[in-house]
Amino acid sequence: MANVLLSEAEKTYILHGIQKNMRNDGRTNRDYRPMELESEIVVHAAGSARLRLANTDILVGVKAEIDTPIPDRPNEGKVDFFIDCSANATPEFEGRGGEQLATEISNTLSKAYESQKGFDLAGLCIMAGHQCWKLYVDVLILECGGNLFDAVSLAVKGALFNTRIPRVSTAMHDGGSMDLILTDDPYDCERLDVTTAPILVTVCKIGDQCVVDPSAEEEECSVASVAVGVSCRPDGNTTTKQSITTVRTSGEGSIRLETLKKCFDTATTVGASLNKALMKALHEDETRNSKGLGKREIYGFLK
């Protein structure tokens, strides 16, 4: 996270606003800042997405390779996360400044996705005990404007939603050996089921209030924070069930048990709403990208 120098008066102003459920930018304590999401932007990746949350800018690309399952989990595939903190994102990332943060984000994502309540790794299994898909998820932090854990997790889920892996068939030989055959048709692909893929919701304790999506300035006012992995599973036609897949605490301050429970309640409730909005945006973006050439809406400098 980026360090921002604040005077005591500025910290007091932020703290008093949060106590009254009114933040500097007009949000309540449970509101996220507006996001921009775009998928299918890296040509040579199996899936990709770019997400901008205020001044935080994240680019994610996914590559898929065939690998051998872990002996303890013969029916599951693998997901590896690689985080690169660009030196242009913030001066603190120059040299080796971003390595520790990159490791923390990578480890938190790995724990969230390896949970039995999180991402369905069984969907990556090709042949139990022999062959599986291994996904390499490369994350580039282009700009750091606070709340990196949440932004990275949202961009990762967007890239996995966009990921397509080749269809695999098997051929049995006379000797009993079996070969894998990958389709040559670039359009004969299977998509991943990211329904239960977790997202991270960071809840900051500022004063005696719990705040989500902290800005860089608000992070400076926080004495402790909790990053909660939230997985949403459909539970009926209109309801979803939230599960916590991982918990990471940070900060020099302590958190009472009652406050920790409040953080969990806030994270699961906000996580469900955030996941619903993300999936809706991903489906809408997919619909736009499915239009033929000449029919797509053109944005930005190309217009």
Side-chain angles (χ1 to χ4, degrees):
M1 66 182 64
N3 286 333
V4 179
L5 296 177
L6 296 176
S7 67
E8 288 302 318
E10 289 173 314
K11 290 183 178 180
T12 302
Y13 177 76
I14 292 173
L15 178 61
H16 286 177
I18 288 174
Q19 291 295 117
K20 296 179 180 180
N21 199 26
M22 179 62 69
R23 296 155 81 173
N24 290 358
D25 49 14
R27 291 182 292 153
T28 69
N29 294 346
R30 290 196 172 196
D31 288 338
Y32 271 74
R33 290 166 291 180
M35 302 180 201
E36 297 175 2
L37 175 68
E38 185 180 4
S39 61
E40 200 172 341
I41 57 176
V42 180
V43 176
H44 298 293
S48 59
R50 183 174 181 177
L51 181 133
R52 189 172 183 89
L53 172 62
N55 292 330
T56 297
D57 197 355
I58 310 294
L59 177 64
V60 180
V62 180
K63 182 177 69 172
E65 290 185 357
I66 293 180
D67 200 359
T68 304
I70 300 174
D72 294 342
R73 295 186 171 188
N75 299 311
E76 297 180 357
K78 303 175 181 176
V79 181
D80 275 2
F81 297 95
F82 299 91
I83 315 295
D84 183 9
C85 299
S86 170
N88 294 323
T90 174
E92 294 177 37
F93 290 169
E94 293 181 2
R96 303 180 62 180
E99 288 186 5
Q100 182 179 355
L101 178 60
T103 302
E104 291 176 359
I105 297 175
S106 177
N107 291 342
T108 305
L109 282 173
S110 296
K111 291 177 182 178
Y113 272 77
E114 290 172 1
S115 169
Q116 297 295 330
K117 298 179 180 180
F119 185 58
D120 182 20
L121 291 173
L124 298 175
C125 181
I126 300 174
M127 189 184 304
H130 296 281
Q131 303 286 343
C132 70
W133 285 107
K134 182 174 183 178
L135 302 180
Y136 295 91
V137 183
D138 295 311
V139 179
L140 176 60
I141 300 175
L142 298 170
E143 191 173 355
C144 179
N147 203 14
L148 276 181
F149 283 79
D150 297 23
V152 168
S153 71
L154 291 166
V156 165
K157 184 162 185 172
L160 291 175
F161 176 87
N162 180 244
T163 298
R164 304 291 185 272
I165 55 178
R167 194 177 301 277
V168 180
S169 58
T170 58
M172 182 71 72
H173 296 285
D174 294 337
S177 61
M178 188 174 292
D179 283 345
L180 298 180
I181 303 175
L182 270 69
T183 178
D184 294 330
D185 185 354
Y187 296 100
D188 187 18
C189 298
E190 298 177 332
R191 68 185 308 161
L192 302 177
D193 182 8
V194 299
T195 304
T196 59
I199 58 176
L200 299 177
V201 178
T202 300
V203 183
C204 277
K205 180 177 180 289
I206 302 179
D208 57 0
Q209 299 294 319
C210 293
V211 175
V212 301
D213 185 24
S215 64
E217 292 79 12
E218 289 171 340
E219 286 178 346
E220 283 298 302
C221 300
S222 174
V223 294
S225 64
V226 182
V228 183
V230 180
S231 174
C232 299
R233 186 181 302 274
D235 186 21
N237 295 328
T238 59
T239 59
T240 59
K241 181 180 180 181
Q242 297 85 44
S243 300
I244 294 177
T245 61
T246 189
V247 176
R248 174 190 175 274
T249 59
S250 61
E252 300 177 353
S254 61
I255 302 178
R256 298 176 58 187
L257 181 59
E258 294 79 5
T259 305
L260 188 61
K261 291 180 179 178
K262 185 178 178 181
C263 288
F264 290 162
D265 290 340
T266 300
T268 52
T269 302
V270 173
S273 300
L274 187 60
N275 183 73
K276 182 179 179 181
L278 174 66
M279 295 305 295
K280 180 182 178 181
L282 287 170
H283 283 293
E284 290 177 350
D285 188 62
E286 184 179 54
T287 300
R288 287 193 295 267
N289 288 338
S290 65
K291 295 180 180 179
L293 293 176
K295 297 182 180 179
R296 298 183 185 179
E297 297 181 53
I298 299 176
Y299 300 93
F301 67 91
L302 293 175
K303 189 170 182 180

